[in-house]
Amino acid sequence: MPENPVLSWHLLPISELRQDDPHLSSHTSEQLASSLAYLVEDKKDRRQPSMGALGNRTLPKREPLPSKDSLAESKITGNGILLRKYRLVKERSILTNYELFDVLFGEQSEAARFADSRVSSSTSRSDRSFHLRSNTCKSPELRDSAFVLDVPLGVISRIEKAGGALSRGDVSYVLVCKDIRNLKFAHKQDTQGRTSVFETVMRLAFPVSHNLQVFAYEYGQIYPENGWKVYDPSAEYKRMGLPNESWRMTRINEHYELCDTYPAMLLVPANVPDEDLKRVATFRAKNRIPVLSWIHPESQATVVRCSQPMVGANGKRSKDDEKYLQAIMDANAQSHKLFIFDARPSVNAVANKTKGGGFESEDTYQNAELVFLDIHNIHVMRESLRKLKEVVYPNIEESHWLSNLESTHWLEHIKLILAGALRIADKVESGKTSVVIHCSDGWDRTAQLTSLAMLMLDGHYRTVRGFQVLIEKEWLTFGHRFQMRIGHGDKNHSDADRSPVFLQFIDCVWQLTRQFPAAFEFNEFFLITILDHLYSCLFGTFLCNSEQQRIKEGLQKKTISLWSYINSHLEEFLNPLYVNYSHHVLYPIVSMRHLELWVGYYIRWNPRMRLQEPIHHCYKELLLKRAELKKKVEELQRELISRSASSSSERAASPTRSVTPVQTFV
Amino acid sequence: MHDSLRALRFSVAVCLTPVKQVIEKEFRILKIPVFGGRCSVKYIEIKIKDGEISRKEKQPDLQPGEVIFCSAYPVLKCEGPQRGVYGTLCCTNFKITFISEESLSEETAPPLSNKLLGENDIALSCVDQIYGVHDEKKKLIIGGQVRNKYPPKLLIYCKDFRVFQFGLSYAKEEEAKKIFQGIVHHSLEPKSLKCAFAFSYCEKVLYPEATVMFESKDNWKLEVNRTRSSCKIAHVNENYVVSERLPQYFAVPFAVSDEDIRKFKGQGVPLWCWSHSNGSALFKMSALPNVQDDGTAQVYRMFVDRMTNAVCQNQMYPVKIQDFSSGFLPLSDLQQSYNKFKQFFLIDNTAEFWLSDVKWFSSIENTGWLEKIRECLNKATEIVLSLEENSCVLMIEEDCSDLCCLFSSLVQVMLDPHYRTTSGFQSLIQKEWVVGGHSFLDRCNHLYQKEKESQSPLFLLFLECVWQLLQQHAPAFQFSETYLTVVSDSVHIPLFSTFLFNSQHQRDTATKLEYPDSQRHSLMIPSVWDWSLQFDWKVQALFTNPLYVEKPKQDKALRKPYRPKHQRQFSLPNSSSKPSPRKSFFKEETDNLKKMLSGMRIGKWINATEMQLSATKQFYESWQRKPLDYHGLILPCLDGPAIKIWLQRYLRWIPEAQIFGGGSVLTMKKVSDLAAEIEDLKNEMEKMAHDMHAGNTTKLFFSSFHAPTRLSSSFPFASLRTWSMRPFIPTSIVQSLGSVSNLAEKEDEDTEGVVVF
């Protein structure tokens, strides 16, 4: 069989690749086989663009995992790896049918390879892509063997070459992924092929570093819903009853002149004119002035966000800033106090003074109380996640699991963030006091805190659409720097600006859904999907750093929103247990006793940790059963009525009890 | 001091005689007996005069046969910081009880109300530790060392994890002293078996029907038939003539003769536990003692060989021996580990709660309790694997009444869906633990014996393991988490014969009446399985797991008739040897597994680390690949994150850990609501189909209990505290992180450049 001379990839049994690097050699064939095996996709949806799943969907039915013999098979029959512009796909058995892979709209195969002695096929080169055609008849059995791997190239954080370890001279690569897994591939030593395979992967995984665009710009799937329309700032403020007599909408930042990392529409105290805002801006880091994020519908207490004041080492003051905060306090008639939450540990806040930043002094800001929330910076968080990955992937050390988990401090950080949000929610709800939240720049920890507090306070954000609005509002428009924190398409994996800030937020939300299983309209899969597409670069949602950049890039026109996809497949993302008790404030218990590592996300590649059958599947089955029974009852009723009608003279209206009215949630 | 103690002991003896009824009647009218002075019972009349301090001392609810020893008023029961209620503190021969002056409203009463023990009642044997508090300093109180003084505040930790704080400083000195001494004496000092309240309780006793008690020959016969075992029922031990440790009836392999059983008083004889549908079976055996004498050793060895042969039915099945006598999971380790573990859940103030939160995970790990659970489940999986591979398993232990009970029952829960129903589970506990001769009295230390070596939470460990299985495979179990918690609590109520004795023999001798009358020969002590003694049927509905998938009715022919298999499958089979058509659930899988393993070894596919993937793990993975059948074998996942803390049991009484309007109970509520609805619809259909009005037999789960916002993670145990709806803000979390690394001091978020102003 003629092999493609240029791009020839052999998947070797990984166990034969003995790496010199001890870290790398920990990935044994066992684990790889397992992680591959874990990626079996739901076959039903093969026709659907399956990028929502990315192979990690919680399977509705327990599908048998392919047995580990698959590795043995792979030795004999060879395995296919298909590298596409958007993702890397691997098929477990013989690559027989091009159609087996669903091609995403706009996606072309960049490189393809198959080595199979039994199937005769040919490749043809068209454009810069390879297509595969197969003339052979395939047995249906093989057809059924679905994908076992489907990795968007966007999740690749770095590629490590680990060649030359074997006497046979095979070359292997480790793809270190952002979604807590590593993948390893190998191909036969083939000087020419090797270079180009490596380069192709590099080029496709890190398009930005090669002056190319990420795949989102080429993805052209049409969805019935338009996700870009989900968030309309004025509609959202209107929902909160804003503007009102105390708060006004300002267009001062319409062209991002006041602050280039803020949205165009801002809400500020009604009695502060735009001129004053400009002066306040000079006293706040990056000109991020205090603006309203949320207002309590009854008490009028507000959640206000900003960046740190530029106090500096000399303790500079700004009368305008002081007056401005006073105005925020006055806007809430219920309280004569204002709480300023500084997300940082006080040490860091003090250290910031030397760089011109700092925090509000309680002496200069009348009636304000300053609280430090002790949440650490992005570097600490990044390090924590790195440790967490070491602990959970590829192996879990059973007997020391808990102390290993503790040593990562991941859950402690989660606890601190939740504790901070809880304190804020408590002050607003129980204390009826307005709060001002900031960290240094007000786009990382501040976003975490405001959005979590709002989630606790306002049931609207616990719906699917409300949560999308929350992300759009508090994260995207207020300038959380996704591009920098994630490093889309950028090969500089050790960039100090990368940090799992958004991941932490989603983790916190998951913790809330664990504690309040009926309070959220969306399910775990919704959160996982958001995280998967945080990295995938399939949708435009998480590209760029600020609203200004997004508009400049024309993302709304050139790319698809993640919400388009999600809202078009809503059924998959709904929590069947949802009860809408929107006026209920959620106070989570932020104790380690109730915090848990999110196994469904961090350990999803470990086949043994697969959820058996999540309760909501049982629940859905029960719902179906109920519907079925209801139908039967209705049929019988009709039958009875017709029967009794025919013999109505004899029997006086037999009291067929009506079915108890039933609420439906789906 | 000594005198009064003697008096107390005497008084207990008094209660046992028929005089008791008289006392009870008298007291119920107007008298409270208080013990003091020399060997006498004093009656103190309570004068209820209009003018006197409104001494509205309320009477505690007493069980028939219960008498009050002493009481004090007013006592302050502290509930949370800066809050308390005044009332009377009493100590009876059954419980310590606090009668609040404030009447409890329906709203605040816990949903799971126990008929025997109210919210403020502590059964005497449920007391775990008592502390005296002087000026915020806790001092452990040790029974027998109590002086004439009494602490101003009393802290009682219970075995069911409730924590009570009683302020004694408001009561009269005399009363306070008496109540303190009374409580310490009755709950922290050794006593005799007859002091257990079960012997004073006089109420008609019914035996629950659904539970098979395994006390009769017929029960055993049915069980042997149900599992299609070839074992026979031995009745040589009728009236315990052979051994006091053995039950009167039990099953043994066919080849074991009555003579064999008599030979070493039942030691060295394999006792049948359960048979697999593939013909293999599980046995337990009490080990013959180790002897120095060669001659005796030889005799023993020959005997054991013969017995082993009887187990494998003359080589028809291979036998795997699990010897627990060699120090696997030492009982004292278990106790130690549990002692450390439970301390993390006995919390009496908020500061302590947050302090222990700091190094929570490593603290829990250091107790080793979860690791013990994992070890147990692992061992049980190992035994299941052997049985699945058609080998008989013989467990050997000194007395075959500790780990044998644990593993035998655990294995059966995993393999046999019958034991995952409520009645089946209760029968299993009867079979393996109660009749099987687990020394509940010693292991639970009900009598507060000084020598605590024999104490060990084995039964609790069993429940813990079942809970792990339940939370991993909820639809496979008919009973709920709440049920398991209630069972674990009931162990400490000294009223049920189930958990009170070391053996059936002890029970039968202890309950034999000295003067049998024409009607009764022995004292009837209730069984715990008569749940109506403790709970209303409404409350009992909480024991049902709404997720349980009932077995679809299908052909009876599913279980194939017993046909012995002659082919031995001990070593790794060749790929050519076809597996026999009669497969156990996972025969095929395990064969594949072996094939793969052998293939791996030959093909050098595997490196050293992979080989360490234990057999049980591989077994689990191969099982996991099969479609899940809730009415077949279930296996536990043993990986780190999968073994969890039984939060309901351990956190239910800690207010700081109570999630208002949250917790997994909400899920359960939703599911059970739906299940109830489906049940309704079915009834409706039934009615219409038959065109009649049948009685409404709706199964009630906990549907209509509360609105979701009124539920909490402590449901159905602790009630919602109305006095504090504000969240608990964690304290002392900062020091946990300390300075994580120099990263913490690194420049904050802005790495682009210095801000210029």
Side-chain angles (χ1 to χ4, degrees), chain A residues 10 37 61 93 178 206 246 318 345 383 400 424 429 499 505 593 626:
Chain A
H10 289 252
K61 278 269 159 59
S93 71
K178 293 169 184 171
F206 309 118
S246 314
S318 158
E383 178 62 12
H400 296 293
I424 293 164
E429 176 69 26
S499 188
F505 162 66
R593 292 154 173 91
R626 181 181 67 178

Side-chain angles (χ1 to χ4, degrees), chain B residues 208-497:
Chain B
E209 288 156 24
T211 308
V212 185
M213 304 300 277
F214 286 95
E215 284 168 9
S216 73
K217 226 155 116 183
D218 292 345
N219 287 167
W220 282 96
K221 226 174 231 163
L222 278 173
E223 181 66 6
V224 165
N225 290 342
R226 190 184 71 85
T227 57
R228 298 183 192 283
S229 165
S230 60
C231 288
K232 63 172 187 187
I233 317 296
H235 42 86
V236 297
N237 199 33
E238 255 169 10
N239 297 319
Y240 310 101
V241 289
V242 174
S243 164
E244 291 177 358
R245 291 292 306 148
L246 286 176
Q248 298 201 62
Y249 308 102
F250 48 88
V252 288
F254 204 76
V256 175
S257 69
D258 288 358
E259 203 40 56
D260 293 331
I261 300 170
R262 282 198 202 97
K263 196 162 181 182
F264 300 107
K265 291 190 165 183
Q267 283 179 304
V269 175
L271 307 174
W272 173 81
C273 299
W274 185 77
S275 288
H276 193 285
S277 62
N278 67 13
S280 60
L282 180 65
F283 295 91
K284 60 184 173 187
M285 176 198 268
S286 50
L288 285 164
N290 278 329
V291 282
Q292 298 295 326
D293 172 26
D294 281 351
T296 326
Q298 182 66 17
V299 173
Y300 281 180
R301 212 172 304 128
M302 277 171 61
F303 183 76
V304 168
D305 281 351
R306 203 154 57 77
M307 289 298 119
T308 317
N309 213 18
V311 164
C312 62
Q313 300 169 35
N314 287 322
Q315 315 281 319
M316 213 185 295
Y317 296 94
V319 180
K320 290 217 174 128
I321 291 178
Q322 292 280 355
D323 195 344
F324 302 131
S325 50
S326 54
F328 171 77
L329 217 64
L331 298 189
S332 54
D333 277 17
L334 274 183
Q335 181 64 36
Q336 256 179 19
S337 166
Y338 183 65
N339 277 347
K340 280 192 237 161
F341 181 76
K342 73 176 178 200
Q343 220 54 36
F344 284 97
F345 302 95
L346 289 165
I347 281 175
D348 55 68
N349 64 69
T350 306
E352 202 182 314
F353 179 85
W354 291 113
L355 204 66
S356 56
D357 211 49
V358 172
K359 288 272 169 208
W360 179 251
F361 291 116
S362 50
S363 309
I364 291 298
E365 187 180 289
N366 288 338
T367 68
W369 181 244
L370 294 183
E371 191 54 36
K372 296 276 182 293
I373 294 168
R374 180 178 292 123
E375 269 174 52
C376 278
L377 287 167
N378 192 38
K379 182 56 93 180
T381 312
E382 209 180 298
I383 296 172
V384 169
L385 175 63
S386 305
L387 289 167
E388 285 285 320
E389 285 176 332
N390 281 9
S391 340
C392 285
V393 176
L394 177 62
M395 300 180 289
I396 302 177
E397 199 184 4
E398 195 191 331
D399 220 0
C400 82
S401 62
D402 290 312
L403 293 175
C404 279
C405 299
L406 175 66
F407 291 119
S408 148
S409 45
L410 209 47
V411 163
Q412 290 174 58
V413 167
M414 283 152 77
L415 276 163
D416 193 337
H418 169 66
Y419 290 127
R420 299 196 289 261
T421 64
T422 311
S423 65
F425 185 70
Q426 294 177 169
S427 307
L428 180 70
I429 293 176
Q430 279 296 130
K431 183 172 79 162
E432 295 301 332
W433 293 85
V434 182
V435 176
H438 179 66
S439 313
F440 278 105
L441 188 66
D442 293 345
R443 297 286 175 255
C444 303
N445 201 11
H446 285 314
L447 304 179
Y448 218 86
Q449 296 301 321
K450 278 280 178 287
E451 57 282 1
K452 286 181 177 173
E453 285 85 60
S454 54
Q455 200 179 347
S456 196
L458 269 165
F459 185 67
L460 176 68
L461 187 60
F462 165 64
L463 295 179
E464 281 265 15
C465 291
V466 175
W467 182 85
Q468 301 290 344
L469 286 165
L470 173 69
Q471 58 108 12
Q472 289 186 18
H473 310 284
F477 290 85
Q478 194 187 22
F479 46 85
S480 64
E481 175 185 37
T482 305
Y483 170 80
L484 286 177
T485 309
V486 165
V487 171
S488 77
D489 286 347
S490 302
V491 173
H492 305 296
I493 302 176
L495 179 59
F496 307 113
S497 62

Side-chain angles (χ1 to χ4, degrees), chain A residues 15 62 64-65 348 403 406 412 415 426 440 445 497 515 591-594 607-608 626 657 665, chain B residues 356-357 362 365 605 621 624-626 628 639 657 663 670 677 684 726 733 736-737 744 748-749 751:
Chain A
S15 61
R62 245 174 83 105
L65 284 168
N348 295 43
S403 52
E406 188 173 277
E412 276 167 73
K415 175 179 160 180
D426 177 46
S440 295
R445 287 168 275 195
D497 268 327
Q515 296 198 13
S591 154
M592 283 301 172
R593 292 154 173 91
H594 280 300
R608 276 195 307 278
R626 181 181 67 178
R657 252 183 47 195
F665 297 100
Chain B
S356 56
D357 211 49
S362 50
E365 187 180 289
W605 271 73
E621 281 185 14
Q624 203 188 21
R625 276 196 284 274
K626 284 261 174 175
L628 180 59
D639 285 69
K670 287 283 291 181
E677 231 175 76
E684 196 78 22
R726 291 196 54 176
I733 41 178
S736 68
L737 286 160
D748 241 58
E749 281 140 55
T751 46

